[in-house]
Amino acid sequence: MVRPAVIAPLVCVLAAGAAVISFARGSWLGLIWLPPTALTSNMAWYYVRRLRSKAPSTGGGGCADGGSCGACTRRART
């Protein structure tokens, strides 16, 4: 089974392409492709942000959890 994080950008590009081709041919049916483009674009950005937030931070000073506990920042201020 393919992950939604991979499918969302693909569907977004295909729906945007279908809308552009439809509009280029002079048909207003391209409006049908705009909501799927918007939805899958939002899904793609959601998965990108979720991936970035779970990635370990570089330069965390050796923290095992990437400094999310706040101990590193408390130590730096004092």
Side-chain angles (χ1 to χ4, degrees):
M1 181 166 185
V2 182
R3 295 179 49 179
V6 176
I7 292 177
L10 249 149
V11 173
C12 181
V13 168
L14 290 174
V20 167
I21 290 172
S22 182
F23 285 134
R25 291 184 178 180
S27 174
W28 285 97
L29 291 176
L31 291 174
I32 294 172
W33 292 104
L34 293 181
T37 303
L39 176 70
T40 55
S41 171
N42 289 341
M43 288 174 60
W45 279 115
Y46 168 77
Y47 286 119
V48 166
R49 284 193 311 260
R50 193 171 85 169
L51 180 67
R52 286 183 186 167
S53 70
K54 289 186 178 184
S57 64
T58 58
C63 292
D65 62 349
S68 64
C69 67
C72 298
T73 56
R74 284 193 297 266
R75 198 175 330 127
R77 281 189 245 150
T78 58

